[in-house]
């Protein structure tokens, strides 16, 4: 299976090589490395690896933990092939080519781009987070194919992009379209024995950029998301 491994490590020569060797010895075949952050002598890297299904992930975690200064932030199942920067442009091109299905196209694609489990486009009132029973006030406009039938959404206002973690240890990234109370919510579920990390700031920024660009392309079509269907009367 395809796994994503997020590691925080000292930003000094040799440490990345130690991590790569440990992954290889544990049975992982590295197919991609993405540097999320380099700051204050530390780096945060995402490794996408092919992992033998019969092998125990605990062996991998123990090997990485034995490297001085290395911390494993998360190990979780990746969906689809490793992503590249060109996929964002390709997605926006698809949305522009078929704007009638633009929001649905975005919602379906984002989980794969951000190594998430599911996503929804939800319409929420500005005071949603302060209401009693706020989760019931949201209207789901579109949901990706792996989304729960009745997704439990975080209590947010559709004002800014950010990451958050709920009491059930589910991680979310939320980005507003800036129109009609529409927000895109992306989720990573907590599943034992794997534990996904929270969304990194670079992932939230990437989501926000995709949402902003999509909002420019779709414009007033966003007002129709979550609206009740119009039925003709004869």
């Amino acid at each position: 299976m395809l796994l994503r491994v997020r590691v925080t490590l000292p930003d000094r020569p040799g440490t990345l090589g130690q991590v790569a060797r440990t992954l290889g010895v544990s049975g992982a075949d590295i197919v991609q490395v993405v540097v999320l952050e380099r700051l204050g002598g530390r780096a945060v890297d995402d490794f996408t690896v092919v992992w033998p299904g019969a092998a125990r992930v605990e062996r991998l975690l123990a090997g990485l933990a034995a490297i001085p200064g290395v911390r494993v932030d998360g190990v979780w199942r990746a969906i689809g092939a490793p992503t590249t920067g060109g996929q964002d442009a390709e997605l926006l091109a698809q949305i522009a080519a078929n704007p009638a299905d633009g929001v649905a196209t975005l919602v379906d694609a984002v989980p794969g781009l951000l190594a998430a489990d599911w996503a929804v486009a939800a319409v929420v009132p500005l005071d949603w987070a302060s209401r009693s029973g706020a989760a019931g006030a949201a209207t789901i406009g579109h949901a990706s194919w792996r989304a729960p039938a009745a997704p439990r959404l975080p209590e947010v206002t559709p004002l800014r992009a950010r990451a958050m973690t709920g009491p059930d240890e589910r991680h979310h990234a939320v980005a507003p379209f800036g129109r009609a109370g529409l927000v895109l919510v992306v989720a990573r579920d907590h599943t034992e024995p794997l534990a996904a990390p929270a969304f990194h700031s670079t992932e939230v920024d990437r989501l926000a950029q995709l949402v902003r660009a999509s909002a420019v392309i779709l414009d007033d079509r966003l007002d129709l998301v979550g609206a009740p269907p119009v039925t003709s009367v004869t």
Side-chain angles (χ1 to χ4, degrees):
M1 60 181 173
L2 203 63
L3 290 182
R4 188 74 60 90
V5 183
R6 180 164 299 173
V7 177
T8 297
L9 66 159
D11 188 13
R12 60 172 180 256
T15 305
L16 181 59
Q18 286 182 280
V19 172
R21 283 193 298 273
T22 300
L23 288 168
V25 169
S26 300
D29 182 14
I30 301 173
V31 295
Q32 186 184 59
V33 182
V34 176
V35 180
L36 296 177
E37 177 184 308
R38 297 181 69 180
L39 183 66
R42 304 282 290 175
V44 180
D45 294 348
D46 267 4
F47 294 83
T48 303
V49 303
V50 177
W51 182 253
R56 294 177 63 85
V57 177
E58 289 82 356
R59 178 187 176 190
L60 170 62
L61 298 178
L64 292 173
I67 304 173
V70 170
R71 184 185 74 233
V72 179
D73 295 328
V75 179
W76 71 110
R77 188 185 296 270
I79 300 172
T83 63
T84 63
Q87 288 179 303
D88 291 9
E90 175 62 25
L91 172 58
L92 294 173
Q94 293 176 11
I95 293 171
N98 185 17
D101 295 324
V103 174
T105 300
L106 178 65
V107 169
D108 281 339
V110 161
L113 295 179
L114 295 181
D117 290 295
W118 52 268
V120 298
V123 181
V124 303
L126 290 176
D127 61 346
W128 185 45
S130 64
R131 292 187 179 191
S132 176
T139 300
I140 303 299
H142 292 283
S144 66
W145 70 277
R146 296 186 69 191
R152 184 175 180 180
L153 304 182
E155 297 181 0
V156 297
T157 53
L159 300 178
R160 63 183 178 91
R162 60 192 179 110
M164 61 195 68
T165 299
D168 56 358
E169 298 187 70
R170 175 179 288 160
H171 302 297
H172 293 96
V174 180
F177 285 84
R179 189 180 186 116
L182 184 63
V183 296
L184 184 59
V185 182
V186 188
R188 287 181 183 143
D189 293 326
H190 180 78
T191 56
E192 297 290 350
L194 305 181
F199 287 91
H200 191 269
S201 58
T202 58
E203 294 175 308
V204 176
D205 289 344
R206 184 183 184 187
L207 178 65
Q209 291 168 9
L210 284 170
V211 167
R212 284 196 298 268
S214 299
V216 171
I217 294 170
L218 299 175
D219 196 25
D220 57 2
R221 288 180 181 270
L222 296 176
D223 296 336
L224 303 178
V225 178
V230 176
T231 56
S232 59
V233 178
T234 57

